[in-house]
Amino acid sequence: MTAFLARLLGRLPIGYLQLMHHPGRLLAALAGVAFANVLVFVQLGLAGSMAESVAIPYRLFQPDLLIISPAESESLSDASTLPRQRMFQALVHPDVTGGTPIYMGRSTWISGNDASSSIQFFGLEPDAGPFVHEALAAPLISLSLSDTALVDTLTRFVDMRGFAAAHPEAPVPFEMQGRQLGAIGTVSIGGGFGGDGVFLVSDQTFFQLFPQRSSATPSHILLALDPGADPGRVATELAQLYPPDAVRIRTVTQAMEQEVRYQMTERPTGLIFAFGVVIGIIVGIVIAYQVLSADVADHIREYATFKAMGFRQGFFVGIILEEAIILAAIGFWPGLALSELFYRSLAYLTNIPIFMTPDRAVAVFIGTIIACAMSGVLAMRKLAAAEPADLF
Amino acid sequence: MTETAIEVTALEHFFGDGEARKQALFDVNLAVARGSLTVLMGPSGSGKTTLLTLMGCLREVHAGSVRLLDRELFQSDEISRIDMRRRLGFIFQAHNLHDSLTARQNVMMGLQVHGRGDPKRHALAADHLLDLLGLGQRLDYLPGNLSGGQKQRVAIARALASNPDIIFADEPTAALDKVSGLAAVRLFKDLGRARGTTTVMVTHDPRILDLADRVVTLEDGRIVEDRAGTARNNASTAPA
């Protein structure tokens, strides 16, 4: 390794040799870098999981446009209701070929072992197949049977194994909101940060479960457009049909991206994750700085000797950056492995969609290099104390 | 005509500012011939180390003139002084070897100051120097595994590795036994004769005086005695 680095650097790899000369300190430094990496990965993983959780409900639907009430319109689940009349108004547009309302409500499901789960209900018209993911179109028709539901096999805190055999001809009974329902099929959606699972019911069953809700006030309206119609243009033209600020019209992709951005930048959870990432980076910088500055302090006489010999500042910068990059490059891998372990454990325990992505791993690796280099730059200030005249 | 390697004229030096300002050197004048071995002597605080660091481009010259290898150091900038230091060799009383580098690697640093080079040739040159100083069997030893005398010899090899024009040394033989100490100084003398390498050293070792061409004594920041060394006297009185 020494010979390889010497060829690479064009000089003796003093930084590498210094680090290897103190294995105890090196291990502590690597543990520190790995710990900081885990902190950052966990926060990024949770943030990514939240973004993924936000996106999942949107992926259930495949409309061309989504009409949402302007109040709390940044979030699919929190948005206020809007008059169904808006759908009929939209159908007047020549490029709008169809529309369907969605009704959303939340309820707590208390299972037999007294565990409770927060369930997000979507109430859909059974013939809304063209507006939903193709895998849901067929089971949706079966929901026309009263008091039936498609239940989420990934629902947290509830043993869903008994629902695996749910079928329209052999419904699995369960109780919700004081009503006896029958599961006639399953979906695999999973909970996010706002709930533990997602159940799909027909609009009529939805009104039975949530009697205070009215068919006249859906949560959202889905629109299908003529193939070839430009959704952006149609959205602009539709907006002119409504009173100002009466609705917000977006494509599903736009709405999903906007909600992810909103959750990440304006909601406390997203900000907490972002803050956690910053804390992780600071911890990493501090740990690397401590190691590098201690190393400079320990070798101050040797550095002063090198200064006396005529080595320039660039040489010392090179040594410290060499150490910083080695710490980052080696410390990253145990951090990555521990984070992967953490992701898997968390996903197993909570069913939240948390997993390592290549772009995240690469970004954190580059960030680790930069953070360690910054620590090195800070540690270089100690080099000023290396005064060659004091050696005599 | 004898060539001058170092020429010091009306050199004064101060430490501190304001009321704390203390003068360390007073009107020092000295010319050191190329290839000679000059010993600086004097009690502690006499200014010999300050003079050594000024001549060695390790401090800024405040007043007076120091010409080193025909370059004026007064009002020279830091970059010029660093460039000049690459032509010098330093041997410190505390050897200041890098603890994570082997003896060979420490000596190679003396070569690498001049930039990229062939690592194999650097290693061969380092091995040769260390062998010359009796450390051929200790090439891959870390300083922690060497005795004080061995470390000092590695430090001497490091200083000589870049073939310096001038060697500045502070008690270079303090950690060496009589035989090794004399061998090291004879090496400086040989380099002076063969390459014209000038050596200026601070020492209290009376054995060295026998080999010195010149002995300069300082007291309270002033040169109080400047005489030819025993070597010079012996040379001048030796029968033809």
Side-chain angles (χ1 to χ4, degrees):
Chain A
M1 180 57 88
T2 304
F4 167 74
L5 289 174
R7 273 199 297 276
L8 187 71
L9 299 169
R11 60 165 171 78
L12 284 171
I14 295 172
Y16 167 77
L17 293 168
Q18 276 180 191
L19 287 174
M20 295 300 160
H21 190 63
H22 301 285
R25 181 187 292 172
L26 174 63
L27 278 178
L30 294 179
V33 172
F35 173 68
N37 267 309
V38 170
L39 279 181
V40 171
F41 268 127
V42 166
Q43 300 301 326
L44 288 177
L46 290 171
S49 170
M50 190 176 72
E52 183 67 18
S53 301
V54 166
I56 285 173
Y58 285 98
R59 293 187 188 132
L60 297 176
F61 308 110
Q62 292 184 321
D64 295 310
L65 288 174
L66 187 65
I67 302 180
I68 301 178
S69 162
E72 304 290 341
S73 62
E74 306 296 348
S75 166
L76 188 72
S77 58
D78 294 341
S80 301
T81 57
L82 75 169
R84 190 171 55 170
Q85 188 190 356
R86 303 298 181 213
M87 182 179 76
F88 300 125
Q89 288 172 291
L91 290 172
V92 172
H93 192 286
D95 285 334
V96 177
T97 56
T100 191
I102 308 176
Y103 302 90
M104 293 174 64
R106 192 177 293 280
S107 183
T108 301
W109 184 20
I110 300 173
S111 63
N113 56 1
D114 285 340
S116 64
S117 303
S118 174
I119 304 297
Q120 176 76 62
F121 276 89
F122 285 97
L124 297 160
E125 293 176 344
D127 58 356
F131 296 91
V132 298
H133 191 278
E134 56 192 22
L136 289 176
L140 196 61
I141 296 170
S142 304
L143 291 177
S144 54
L145 292 169
S146 181
D147 290 330
T148 56
L150 299 174
V151 299
D152 187 353
T153 55
L154 297 179
T155 301
R156 273 196 293 262
F157 311 128
V158 180
D159 184 356
M160 298 298 290
R161 283 175 294 185
F163 292 91
H167 190 271
E169 292 167 7
V172 178
F174 65 102
E175 190 179 301
M176 197 86 202
Q177 296 275 79
R179 288 187 70 82
Q180 183 80 20
L181 298 179
I184 58 164
T186 59
V187 291
S188 296
I189 300 170
F193 288 78
D196 299 314
V198 176
F199 286 10
L200 274 69
V201 295
S202 70
D203 51 349
Q204 296 309 309
T205 301
F206 183 88
F207 300 134
Q208 297 294 329
L209 288 169
F210 301 94
Q212 73 279 18
R213 293 291 298 273
S214 159
S215 62
T217 55
S219 303
H220 310 291
I221 293 165
L222 310 180
L223 297 179
L225 305 183
D226 199 24
D230 174 18
R233 175 183 59 80
V234 176
T236 306
E237 290 170 3
L238 283 176
Q240 292 166 357
L241 297 175
Y242 301 114
D245 298 327
V247 294
R248 293 191 70 179
I249 308 171
R250 290 170 290 184
T251 65
V252 170
T253 305
Q254 285 171 339
M256 183 173 72
E257 289 173 352
Q258 195 153 353
E259 179 166 355
V260 169
R261 197 160 46 244
Y262 167 72
Q263 296 284 0
M264 296 300 291
T265 60
E266 294 183 40
R267 292 293 289 268
T269 321
L271 293 174
I272 288 167
F273 293 152
F275 191 68
V277 171
V278 172
I279 293 290
I281 291 170
I282 290 172
V283 167
I285 288 175
V286 168
I287 290 171
Y289 169 75
Q290 289 289 347
V291 172
L292 294 174
S293 61
D295 203 56
V296 172
D298 282 356
H299 293 98
I300 204 76
R301 289 188 70 82
E302 288 94 326
Y303 285 134
T305 304
F306 288 149
K307 278 189 179 179
M309 291 165 69
F311 284 99
R312 290 188 177 173
Q313 184 68 10
F315 168 77
F316 302 103
V317 171
I319 291 177
I320 295 171
L321 285 182
E322 176 192 333
E323 287 188 287
I325 289 169
I326 288 171
L327 285 182
I330 301 178
F332 170 79
W333 298 105
L336 178 70
L338 284 172
S339 302
E340 177 66 30
L341 189 65
F342 184 86
Y343 283 179
R344 289 181 188 216
S345 303
L346 202 61
Y348 176 77
L349 292 171
T350 65
N351 273 347
I352 63 169
I354 184 167
F355 46 83
M356 186 66 71
T357 60
D359 54 345
R360 184 184 302 150
V362 170
V364 172
F365 181 68
I366 293 169
T368 306
I369 299 270
I370 292 171
C372 284
M374 284 172 64
S375 306
V377 170
L378 291 173
M380 277 173 212
R381 294 180 309 164
K382 295 231 170 199
L383 274 176
E387 180 51 64
D390 293 340
L391 292 170
F392 283 107
Chain B
M1 192 175 75
T2 308
E3 207 175 328
T4 303
I6 308 169
E7 188 170 5
V8 179
T9 310
L11 179 65
E12 307 211 331
H13 197 75
F14 306 87
F15 289 108
D17 291 308
E19 291 184 5
R21 183 175 162 105
K22 186 175 183 301
Q23 188 159 357
L25 293 177
F26 299 84
D27 191 27
V28 172
N29 294 278
L30 181 68
V32 178
R34 182 169 179 267
S36 66
L37 170 61
T38 300
V39 168
L40 296 180
M41 297 187 74
S44 180
S46 60
K48 56 186 185 301
T49 301
T50 303
L51 179 58
L52 200 69
T53 55
L54 285 164
M55 291 190 295
C57 308
L58 297 173
R59 290 187 198 281
E60 198 177 341
V61 175
H62 291 159
S65 167
V66 176
R67 287 190 70 79
L68 200 69
L69 303 169
D70 288 328
R71 285 177 67 177
E72 177 59 55
L73 298 184
F74 178 62
Q75 293 187 326
S76 64
D77 58 23
E78 177 67 13
I79 299 294
S80 305
R81 289 200 297 277
I82 290 173
D83 285 343
M84 180 58 83
R85 290 205 294 264
R86 295 183 173 197
R87 299 177 62 184
L88 312 178
F90 294 95
I91 303 166
F92 307 99
Q93 187 173 359
H95 45 80
N96 296 333
L97 298 180
H98 204 290
D99 63 354
S100 50
L101 303 184
T102 63
R104 176 192 285 126
Q105 289 168 335
N106 267 291
V107 177
M108 286 171 70
M109 292 308 297
L111 294 162
Q112 297 201 344
V113 71
H114 297 292
R116 279 176 180 260
D118 181 357
K120 285 184 180 170
R121 295 187 68 169
H122 285 179
L124 278 175
D127 291 356
H128 173 70
L129 266 170
L130 287 167
D131 196 38
L132 202 65
L133 287 159
L135 292 172
Q137 305 301 314
R138 299 285 187 274
L139 302 174
D140 293 316
Y141 278 47
L142 291 171
N145 298 325
L146 295 173
S147 69
Q150 289 170 333
K151 287 177 195 171
Q152 190 63 305
R153 280 184 275 163
V154 175
I156 290 170
R158 180 178 62 188
L160 300 180
S162 61
N163 194 14
D165 292 311
I166 305 173
I167 297 167
F168 291 103
D170 184 19
E171 300 283 6
T173 58
L176 302 181
D177 59 41
K178 182 180 178 183
V179 174
S180 300
L182 286 174
V185 178
R186 285 201 182 98
L187 182 59
F188 300 149
K189 292 282 291 180
D190 291 344
L191 287 171
R193 277 193 290 271
R195 297 179 184 168
T197 307
T198 307
T199 303
V200 179
M201 69 169 69
V202 169
T203 185
H204 293 95
D205 188 344
R207 297 169 301 180
I208 306 299
L209 300 181
D210 294 337
L211 296 168
D213 296 308
R214 190 171 178 193
V215 179
V216 176
T217 307
L218 286 99
E219 278 184 24
D220 297 327
R222 291 180 172 84
I223 293 178
V224 294
E225 187 181 28
D226 186 350
R227 61 180 170 84
T230 316
R232 177 65 58 86
N233 290 333
N234 290 345
S236 59
T237 57

